[in-house]
Amino acid sequence: MTLNEIAKKMCAKGKGILAADESTGTIAKRFKSINVENLEKNRLGFRQTLFNASAMKDFIGGVILFDETIKQKTTLGSTIPELISKQGAIPGIKVDKGAKPLAGSNEETITEGLDGLRERLKEYYNLGARFTKWRAVYKIAEKFPSSQSIISNAHALARYAALVQEANMVPIVEPEVLMDGSHNIDKCYTVTTDVLNECYNQLHIHKVDLKGTVLKPNMIVPGSDCKDKSNSEEIAKKTLECLKKNVPSDVPGIAFLSGGQSEIESSKNLNSINRINDSNFLITFSYGRGLQASALSEFGKNQSNIEKIQKAFNHRAKMNGLSSKGEWSEDLEKESVA
Ligand code: 13P
């Protein structure tokens, strides 16, 4: 498959991406919230339960893994990438090493992980990965994001993407403008515009073939502490407008992060975007919390109740699959739970 074909398969209509690439530190937070000990066997247990779920075949085009997970075997003996491929999805891998304080602007971050990346990419390809992820993080505050953060993170994203294409994999380019703060939706729009423009400027300089990439952006939403709430239609209109203006049309697929929105909000907003999508972009989800929150809660109640954990995951995957086609509704949400 060409990189363009892989990118399109990851974002195919009716499907999206499961972001199961929480680092050991992030999954520790998730497990703490459900009183589960952060042990390797528990991390494997939760993840293989999701990867074995029936919704994988119908609604998941790709799965983003963490370094530990791509090297694990299921209790039945196959490797995790083999299990994912058997379910008809493409295995992928998070390759960044996290967001660290940015020297010169210590309250902001720069994503690290470029040193030795070429060698690590070879290893991941041999383990079955066909796409990768790198997340840059931008916060909104009075003086932030600084141009230093916007330029340095875009530069790192572009160097990452060029190395990934050299290794014959599709880079997911993830510039995440955080929802934290009291800024309004228009501020999110202007910051996201600046961030996307610098990303595509750097991707061009680094000769990245945009046809073999997937963009993973935030939606255009008000800050979580903003008093002016926006409805789903406004979020959809502003998000689509921002993407059409700032993302080159060569990019085949756009897969949103959920970024702290609730499961229902992230389905509803994706659905509203697809209902008015008059662009050529395939627009879908690449959710972590948006796909896993209910399943995680069931796992916390009883780790061995595979059926209940999978039922919760199947439901969210189906709802988001519908949203990727603009066919989700609140009624369907209720029917499926019953
Ligand atoms: P959320 O959907 O929970 O924001 O996670 C997506 C992700 O992969 C962030 O990098």
Side-chain angles (χ1 to χ4, degrees):
M1 271 203 283
T2 64
L3 295 187
N4 180 248
E5 286 163 347
I6 293 172
K8 285 185 182 155
K9 192 173 171 202
M10 287 157 64
C11 301
K13 274 261 158 280
K15 292 192 178 190
I17 300 166
L18 166 60
D21 60 325
E22 298 85 358
S23 62
T24 309
T26 301
I27 198 88
K29 282 189 231 158
R30 307 273 187 265
F31 277 3
K32 194 164 181 227
S33 73
I34 51 163
N35 280 321
V36 168
E37 212 181 332
N38 190 20
L39 302 175
E40 183 181 345
K41 74 172 175 44
N42 293 343
R43 296 192 289 271
L44 177 64
F46 180 60
R47 286 167 170 156
Q48 75 171 357
T49 301
L50 302 188
F51 305 158
N52 270 307
S54 60
M56 288 284 299
K57 278 205 164 65
D58 296 324
F59 309 113
I60 303 296
V63 179
I64 318 175
L65 300 168
F66 180 58
D67 180 74
E68 173 186 86
T69 326
I70 199 170
K71 296 170 180 165
Q72 280 170 327
K73 284 196 165 152
T74 70
T75 35
L76 294 176
S78 68
T79 68
I80 293 285
E82 281 164 358
L83 168 60
I84 290 166
S85 303
K86 200 182 87 204
Q87 293 280 44
I90 303 174
I93 179 80
K94 183 232 296 292
V95 302
D96 69 66
K97 294 206 163 177
K100 307 285 161 59
L102 174 64
S105 186
N106 266 277
E107 287 173 61
E108 298 184 283
T109 60
I110 177 73
T111 301
E112 296 189 347
L114 289 170
D115 287 355
L117 182 56
R118 183 178 267 127
E119 290 70 34
R120 286 198 290 130
L121 290 173
K122 277 194 198 113
E123 186 192 2
Y124 289 139
Y125 188 95
N126 290 335
L127 288 166
R130 291 297 175 268
F131 73 92
T132 65
K133 182 190 107 171
W134 178 289
R135 172 174 174 257
V137 189
Y138 309 85
K139 73 167 174 184
I140 299 184
E142 207 188 322
K143 293 191 186 132
F144 303 134
S146 63
S147 55
Q148 184 191 351
S149 142
I150 292 176
I151 295 167
S152 56
N153 274 296
H155 181 258
L157 267 170
R159 283 193 55 202
Y160 140 82
L163 280 164
V164 171
Q165 289 194 334
E166 183 188 274
N168 266 316
M169 292 184 277
V170 168
I172 293 185
V173 172
E174 181 179 7
E176 176 175 6
V177 178
L178 296 173
M179 269 174 76
D180 305 339
S182 54
H183 56 273
N184 65 19
I185 190 167
D186 294 325
K187 179 75 180 172
C188 178
Y189 186 111
T190 52
V191 169
T192 304
T193 296
D194 293 346
V195 162
L196 288 174
N197 275 310
E198 189 54 26
C199 283
Y200 285 105
N201 177 36
Q202 292 287 344
L203 287 163
H204 177 72
I205 291 171
H206 288 83
K207 305 182 186 69
V208 174
D209 175 10
L210 297 183
K211 291 196 173 78
T213 66
V214 169
L215 174 69
K216 175 162 175 167
N218 51 283
M219 293 181 191
I220 305 300
V221 289
S224 39
D225 298 327
C226 177
K227 286 191 283 309
D228 301 325
K229 301 293 169 212
S230 299
N231 63 33
S232 195
E233 283 67 36
E234 185 187 6
I235 290 170
K237 194 166 156 279
K238 292 197 163 150
T239 302
L240 189 64
E241 186 185 300
C242 185
L243 295 173
K244 285 197 324 194
K245 281 196 178 149
N246 301 302
V247 181
S249 56
D250 274 354
V251 174
I254 296 178
F256 291 105
L257 55 97
S258 58
Q261 299 182 58
S262 71
E263 289 180 323
I264 305 272
E265 269 171 347
S266 42
S267 296
K268 186 175 182 172
N269 290 337
L270 177 63
N271 187 61
S272 302
I273 294 166
N274 273 306
R275 284 186 60 154
I276 58 166
N277 180 13
D278 56 356
S279 73
N280 287 326
F281 300 128
L282 291 163
I283 297 187
T284 189
F285 58 90
S286 175
Y287 293 162
R289 287 161 287 179
L291 273 171
Q292 298 181 63
S294 299
L296 192 68
S297 153
E298 292 300 337
F299 185 72
K301 286 180 208 155
N302 181 355
Q303 289 190 33
S304 45
N305 197 339
I306 306 285
E307 205 180 309
K308 268 203 137 167
I309 301 162
Q310 290 183 337
K311 193 172 168 212
F313 174 71
N314 287 339
H315 174 59
R316 286 277 34 99
K318 182 176 175 190
M319 290 301 103
N320 286 309
L322 289 168
S323 295
S324 79
K325 298 189 285 185
E327 293 172 9
W328 173 92
S329 73
E330 260 157 48
D331 288 343
L332 285 169
E333 195 65 67
K334 283 173 213 143
E335 273 171 33
S336 310
V337 172

